[in-house]
Amino acid sequence: MKYLCLVYSNEQLLHDSPQSPEDAECHAYAEQVAQSGRMLAAEALQGVATATTVRLRAGQVLISDGPFAETKEQLAGFYLIEARDLNEALQLAAGIPAARVGCVEVRPVRQLAV
Amino acid sequence: MPLLQPVADFSKQLELLYQQHSRQVLATLIRLLGDFDRAEDALQEAFSVALAQWPQSGTPESPVAWLISTGRFKAIDKMRRQRRFVADGDAMLAQFVDEQAEGFEMQQDSQLWSDDYLRLVFTCCHPALSIEAQLALTLREVCGLTTEQIARAFLQSTSTIAQRIVRAKQKIKAATIPYQVPASDQLAPRLQAVHKVIYLLFNEGYSADLIQPSADEALPKIDLAQQAIDMAKQLLALQFDTESCGLLALLLLQHARQAARFTTAGQLILLPEQDRSRWDQALIAEGVSKVETALSSGRIGPYSLQAAIAAIHNESPDSASTDWPQIHALYQLLYRVEPTPVVALNQLVAMSMCEGPAAALLQLPPLLQDATLAQYHLLYAVAADFHRQLGHHDEAIDFYRQALKLATSSADQQFLQQRLCALSEVKNAEHNAL
């Protein structure tokens, strides 16, 4: 079986509480899982302020600033892509068939500071 | 080159140069330095070096090339001094210095420069930024207004606008929004986004006039409408596009009526009642010629059609002799390319001018049911006006009251209040006559 583990957190809490994880700790755990042979892919994301949401309606690509925030819809899948810049990423995102009925939030990956 | 003297004239000349070329210098520096803030610092440095050197050395042959080259040099110099304090300082610096070692020389390259200006426009109007951020960033970077001026134009605090601009720049960097003119298959929707920003700026200027005809005498007025027109002209000059042309035409034709839009007390005057001798004929001629170019040059879009409608109004001596059937036909075309309830409402008003208010009233119910128009004060004002013309005073009064509740600008409110008063008087007079 493959499993997707999604990390949710209040952004402030994620970085500013005494319990907040350091990048080095995150990196070490990911390494540990990798060495056990069970890691497929893992990335940290940049903050929600960098998010862009893409929809395709009536053949038109609709791009909007900000994260996807609609509690009535559920996460249905993910793509981890390599793109030259946001324009290319948005173009690929708009091509995901589910963008016709749902939406795709595009967020840059963050390099851990280790 | 002649030496520049006296100094007073020189600083005036530099100010003019700043107005005319600072955006171009900035646009190119952003490409060369890969960063908005670094480019802005470099721009300021380049102008202060010019201020210090040119009075002695004379103005260089190509001032723009000189400013770009000096700004770039200053920025590299600064990075060199700072590299120890920046995480990837050495790598960053190497990227710029390599270029220099290869004999980088700033040539006057007008094609490259105009591309840089377009890169700046498309980046500031990128749809991944919120529309508020696009407007603020465009005014700051493309139009060169200060944060204080933008805040004043939007009636917002300086810190709100400053924060909006900082966040937009952070997103550009963090999400890697490229400094690019979109590829041809992406150009149409991206150009639409730019048109939208220009049109919103123009409208913002228009409604700002309503709110603050002379709000603060001590401060010079920020003419957003003129900024929008200048930007539309620049865009069209760099890259011909039917809708860019239609948009410019529309702005010119609307702006031509500016002097006739208010009473001396600052009250709004609607189109049919405006003193048409106060319309700017030179702007009308310019606008009409742009409409003709747009309509004969390709796929006609919403801006070109709205401009064509505006042109018919502007060329009519009064409301009665306006070619309403043609305006009605143009609205029908407009509805085909842009099927929104607001266009449908306008089409209905044009129809009422051709076939009378009774016929138009019959088609109003679906719009009154439309959720997207529920908070739109003009819907109720139009309904009220149809009823008023038909002598249905009670219905008219009800609809004017609804419109008044939703109207936000004081000029609109005053206008609706006047209509209400006039109707009450008519009603009382009829009541007394019975």
Side-chain angles (χ1 to χ4, degrees):
Chain A
M1 276 302 286
K2 284 178 182 157
Y3 290 97
L4 182 66
C5 307
L6 299 164
V7 182
Y8 287 94
S9 174
N10 175 315
E11 267 183 17
Q12 292 290 305
L13 229 53
L14 187 62
H15 298 294
D16 299 339
S17 101
Q19 291 291 314
S20 295
E22 294 291 331
D23 280 6
E25 187 191 351
C26 298
H27 181 73
Y29 183 70
E31 279 293 299
Q32 191 188 320
V33 179
Q35 273 163 21
S36 76
R38 288 172 290 181
M39 172 70 87
L40 297 176
E43 299 286 359
L45 296 180
Q46 295 204 29
V48 281
T50 64
T52 305
T53 300
V54 183
R55 293 174 177 80
L56 191 79
R57 295 290 183 272
Q60 293 256 16
V61 179
L62 308 174
I63 295 168
S64 55
D65 176 47
F68 167 72
E70 173 64 70
T71 48
K72 270 184 290 180
E73 293 177 29
Q74 287 83 37
L75 187 69
F78 81 104
Y79 279 65
L80 182 65
I81 56 171
E82 179 69 47
R84 191 177 53 242
D85 53 42
L86 186 67
N87 287 356
E88 195 179 87
L90 293 176
Q91 215 175 338
L92 289 167
I96 297 174
R100 289 198 304 269
V101 285
C103 66
V104 181
E105 179 182 327
V106 178
R107 196 111 68 87
V109 156
R110 180 173 74 88
Q111 290 294 323
L112 292 181
V114 288
Chain B
M1 282 283 116
L3 288 182
L4 291 160
Q5 298 203 341
V7 173
D9 273 357
F10 173 69
S11 63
K12 204 174 270 175
Q13 196 184 334
L14 202 65
E15 200 179 299
L16 190 70
L17 194 74
Y18 190 88
Q19 278 169 13
Q20 288 176 336
H21 301 298
S22 67
R23 298 305 103 193
Q24 180 60 65
V25 175
L26 178 72
T28 302
L29 282 173
I30 294 172
R31 173 172 55 81
L32 293 173
L33 300 170
D35 182 274
F36 274 72
D37 291 330
R38 212 181 286 148
E40 270 168 55
D41 287 349
L43 172 74
Q44 300 309 327
E45 291 243 28
F47 271 91
S48 53
V49 176
L51 187 63
Q53 285 186 3
W54 292 4
Q56 279 81 44
S57 64
T59 311
E61 201 151 331
S62 168
V64 175
W66 188 96
L67 287 162
I68 293 170
S69 173
T70 304
R72 180 177 171 276
F73 177 76
K74 285 281 168 190
I76 290 174
D77 207 37
K78 198 171 170 186
M79 277 189 271
R80 203 170 266 149
R81 277 181 278 122
Q82 286 178 338
R83 70 166 180 265
R84 264 164 263 139
F85 310 108
V86 187
D88 55 349
D90 281 317
M92 205 162 71
L93 189 61
Q95 177 191 342
F96 297 105
V97 177
D98 265 3
E99 246 180 79
Q100 201 178 36
E102 284 163 20
F104 175 90
E105 213 167 300
M106 182 46 69
Q107 300 289 339
Q108 176 144 14
D109 184 339
S110 50
Q111 180 57 48
L112 195 57
W113 287 356
S114 54
D115 281 354
D116 283 338
Y117 180 86
L118 289 172
R119 280 187 185 98
L120 182 60
V121 168
F122 279 108
T123 305
C124 292
C125 302
H126 198 286
L129 302 171
S130 72
I131 190 69
E132 294 81 12
Q134 292 178 44
L135 291 172
L137 199 60
T138 299
L139 284 173
R140 180 79 190 84
E141 311 297 335
V142 180
C143 304
L145 296 190
T146 64
T147 309
E148 291 76 18
Q149 288 173 320
I150 301 167
R152 208 168 347 123
F154 286 124
L155 304 174
Q156 299 263 6
S157 75
T158 306
S159 63
T160 303
I161 296 295
Q163 201 175 41
R164 202 171 282 172
I165 292 172
V166 166
R167 285 195 178 147
K169 286 184 193 163
Q170 280 169 350
K171 179 159 184 186
I172 289 173
K173 214 191 265 186
T176 320
I177 292 179
Y179 196 58
Q180 243 173 32
V181 177
S184 55
D185 63 331
Q186 297 290 308
L187 193 61
R190 293 291 306 281
L191 205 49
Q192 269 177 24
V194 174
H195 292 156
K196 185 176 171 192
V197 165
I198 295 176
Y199 195 52
L200 282 175
L201 285 181
F202 182 83
N203 279 331
E204 198 66 43
Y206 239 49
S207 45
D209 288 339
L210 294 174
I211 303 161
Q212 39 160 185
S214 56
D216 195 338
E217 301 284 352
L219 295 167
K221 198 169 147 297
I222 308 302
D223 193 345
L224 289 185
Q226 192 58 50
Q227 296 283 352
I229 289 174
D230 291 346
M231 195 175 153
K233 279 187 180 167
Q234 187 80 3
L235 182 66
L236 186 65
L238 292 180
Q239 193 168 53
F240 183 83
D241 168 81
T242 302
E243 276 289 270
S244 296
C245 190
L247 172 63
L248 175 58
L250 178 61
L251 303 190
L252 292 168
L253 291 166
Q254 288 191 0
H255 205 49
R257 303 180 199 141
Q258 183 61 10
R261 289 177 66 226
F262 300 100
T263 65
T264 42
Q267 286 176 330
L268 185 66
I269 308 175
L270 292 189
L271 186 61
E273 281 102 37
Q274 286 176 12
D275 174 2
R276 298 186 182 208
S277 68
R278 303 188 64 196
W279 288 358
D280 186 325
Q281 292 305 320
L283 283 181
I284 293 177
E286 196 183 345
V288 167
S289 106
K290 288 283 179 284
V291 175
E292 285 163 357
T293 310
L295 294 183
S296 61
S297 66
R299 218 185 141 89
I300 296 163
Y303 290 114
S304 306
L305 287 169
Q306 289 179 76
I309 292 167
I312 296 174
H313 283 302
N314 284 20
E315 290 188 310
S316 308
D318 53 54
S319 178
S321 57
T322 301
D323 187 351
W324 288 106
Q326 199 181 346
I327 288 182
H328 186 212
L330 284 165
Y331 269 118
Q332 284 173 315
L333 275 178
L334 182 59
Y335 188 75
R336 226 179 287 165
V337 294
E338 199 178 87
T340 67
V342 172
V343 174
L345 183 65
N346 281 311
Q347 187 195 320
L348 213 52
V349 173
M351 183 195 165
S352 80
M353 299 303 287
C354 304
E355 299 170 29
L361 195 57
L362 286 176
Q363 299 202 18
L364 197 60
L367 292 177
L368 287 170
Q369 301 295 320
D370 193 305
T372 53
L373 285 182
Q375 301 296 313
Y376 188 54
H377 73 279
L378 288 179
L379 170 66
Y380 305 101
V382 166
D385 200 52
F386 290 165
H387 282 295
R388 182 187 60 85
Q389 291 178 56
L390 291 165
H392 308 157
H393 302 319
D394 291 330
E395 289 88 340
I397 288 173
D398 280 350
F399 277 119
Y400 276 128
R401 284 197 180 127
Q402 269 180 282
L404 190 58
K405 257 188 261 169
L406 295 167
T408 49
S409 85
S410 64
D412 282 345
Q413 288 164 354
Q414 277 175 11
F415 171 80
L416 293 165
Q417 199 72 60
Q418 277 170 8
R419 281 278 153 106
L420 267 172
C421 288
L423 268 177
S424 306
E425 277 169 30
V426 174
K427 226 184 116 181
N428 285 339
E430 282 178 2
H431 184 75
N432 291 338
L434 288 175

